[in-house]
């Protein structure tokens, strides 16, 4: 693994690993927790882990790139109508994509050096036994309602690995992909520093600097609006919220 790629082989996988696979010409990545024995637990809104129908304008982009046929796996069966937290074999999770390992406890320099969000975090991972327990518990009890920016597949995997939840409702969740999209938009349209230079090179440098800074301060390992929450408490609180 290097700065530009976290690609690994299947032989390197260990139970409790946070893995992901890029979808549709690297538009986004799908994340999950490897449970061992070729099984992955992951969070999806629909289409058996393909996450189309996100409820945003991105639906049109993702849907236009998605294969029309459903995958009927001899191990998993037809998961095309499944949603929420599901268990799939590694082949179904990857959907013909490559395998990547999400990195934890990276240095701030290494984090910023990654050009794309959703591949690493400064936060440290908990022991694999806790990670597997959270993933298994959520498989049977759910992880709430899918939301592209506040509660997506990467949020699920990061929670399983760290037990950290964002406790404010005004910001995005734990997902590095979501914060990267917002950081890029912020760097383009809202930075006052763009008025300090008119050259293309200068604008590019300022924009990239703002992008990196926004990603860094939004990382789950840096943010102050996070709290360690036991999975049993999370599920209990979610159930109580749905009843009210």
């Amino acid at each position: 693994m290097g700065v530009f790629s976290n690609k690994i082989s299947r032989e390197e996988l260990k139970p409790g690993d946070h893995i992901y696979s890029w979808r549709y010409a690297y538009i986004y990545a799908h994340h999950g927790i490897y449970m061992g024995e070729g099984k992955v637990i992951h969070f999806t809104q629909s289409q058996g882990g393909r996450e189309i129908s996100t409820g945003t304008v991105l639906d049109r982009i993702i849907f236009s790139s998605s294969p029309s046929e459903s995958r009927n796996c001899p191990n998993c069966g037809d998961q095309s109508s499944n949603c929420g937290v599901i268990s799939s074999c590694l082949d179904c999770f990857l959907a013909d994509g490559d395998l990547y390992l999400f990195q934890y406890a990276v240095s701030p320099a290494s984090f910023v050096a990654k050009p794309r969000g959703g591949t690493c975090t400064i936060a440290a991972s908990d022991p694999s036994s806790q990670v597997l327990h959270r993933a298994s518990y959520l498989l049977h009890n759910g992880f709430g309602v899918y939301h592209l920016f506040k509660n997506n597949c990467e949020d699920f995997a990061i929670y399983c690995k760290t037990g950290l939840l964002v406790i404010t409702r005004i910001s995005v969740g734990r997902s590095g992909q979501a914060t990267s999209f917002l950081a890029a938009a912020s760097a383009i349209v809202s930075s006052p520093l763009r008025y300090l230079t008119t050259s293309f090179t200068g604008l590019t440098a300022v924009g990239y600097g703002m992008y990196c800074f926004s990603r860094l301060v939004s990382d789950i390992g840096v943010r102050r609006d996070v709290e360690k929450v036991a999975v049993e408490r999370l599920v209990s609180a979610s159930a109580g919220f749905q009843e009210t």
Side-chain angles (χ1 to χ4, degrees), residues 194-213:
R194 68 185 185 274
Y195 296 114
L196 297 180
T197 179
T198 57
S199 70
F200 176 78
T201 302
L203 288 172
T204 300
V206 168
Y208 188 70
M210 289 296 298
Y211 168 76
C212 291
F213 177 77

Side-chain angles (χ1 to χ4, degrees), residues 149 172 178-195 203 206-215 217-218:
F149 290 110
V172 296
T179 56
S180 288
F181 286 132
L182 297 181
S186 176
I188 293 172
V189 303
S190 64
S191 172
L193 297 178
R194 68 185 185 274
Y195 296 114
L203 288 172
V206 168
Y208 188 70
M210 289 296 298
Y211 168 76
C212 291
F213 177 77
S214 297
R215 278 186 56 222
V217 298
S218 299

Side-chain angles (χ1 to χ4, degrees), residues 150 165-174 223-227:
K150 295 185 178 182
L165 286 179
V166 175
I167 58 177
T168 56
R169 295 190 176 186
I170 60 174
S171 57
V172 296
R174 299 160 296 281
R223 295 170 63 159
R224 300 298 184 185
D225 60 340
V226 296
E227 180 180 313

Side-chain angles (χ1 to χ4, degrees), residues 19 25 57 63 73 90 102 113 121-122 133 144 161 200 217 232 239:
I19 60 175
V57 70
F63 183 76
C73 173
L90 186 56
F102 194 98
T121 178
I122 295 171
H133 170 67
K161 290 287 286 186
F200 176 78
V217 298
E232 294 82 3

Side-chain angles (χ1 to χ4, degrees), residues 19-78:
I19 60 175
Y20 62 96
S21 182
W22 292 104
R23 298 284 202 264
Y24 312 126
Y26 294 89
I27 295 176
Y28 74 102
H30 186 50
H31 295 246
I33 299 296
Y34 182 67
M35 303 298 290
E37 299 182 346
K39 291 293 184 181
V40 182
I41 292 179
H42 50 123
F43 182 48
T44 179
Q45 184 178 21
S46 63
Q47 294 292 321
R50 295 184 181 276
E51 290 192 81
I52 67 171
S53 185
T54 60
T56 73
V57 70
L58 293 179
D59 288 350
R60 190 173 302 172
I61 300 173
I62 297 174
F63 183 76
S64 66
S65 305
S66 62
S68 58
E69 73 276 3
S70 63
R71 178 184 294 270
N72 196 351
C73 173
N75 297 316
C76 305
D78 182 6

Side-chain angles (χ1 to χ4, degrees), residues 56-196:
T56 73
V57 70
L58 293 179
D59 288 350
R60 190 173 302 172
I61 300 173
I62 297 174
F63 183 76
S64 66
S65 305
S66 62
S68 58
E69 73 276 3
S70 63
R71 178 184 294 270
N72 196 351
C73 173
N75 297 316
C76 305
D78 182 6
Q79 293 191 317
S80 60
S81 61
N82 290 1
C83 62
V85 182
I86 65 174
S87 176
S88 305
C89 70
L90 186 56
D91 286 332
C92 286
F93 172 81
L94 294 175
D96 300 323
D98 292 324
L99 174 64
Y100 297 84
L101 179 68
F102 194 98
Q103 294 179 301
Y104 284 81
V106 302
S107 68
S110 296
F111 180 87
V112 171
K114 295 282 188 180
R116 186 79 177 265
T119 62
C120 64
T121 178
I122 295 171
S125 171
D126 287 331
S128 59
S129 58
Q130 296 183 33
V131 177
L132 296 173
H133 170 67
R134 291 182 187 122
S136 297
Y137 196 89
L138 293 174
L139 175 64
H140 296 99
N141 294 279
F143 190 62
V145 179
Y146 185 96
H147 189 286
L148 179 65
F149 290 110
K150 295 185 178 182
N151 202 46
N152 59 39
C153 61
E154 186 184 347
D155 291 313
F156 167 80
I158 290 176
Y159 172 73
C160 289
K161 290 287 286 186
T162 66
L164 296 174
L165 286 179
V166 175
I167 58 177
T168 56
R169 295 190 176 186
I170 60 174
S171 57
V172 296
R174 299 160 296 281
S175 169
Q177 293 185 97
T179 56
S180 288
F181 286 132
L182 297 181
S186 176
I188 293 172
V189 303
S190 64
S191 172
L193 297 178
R194 68 185 185 274
Y195 296 114
L196 297 180

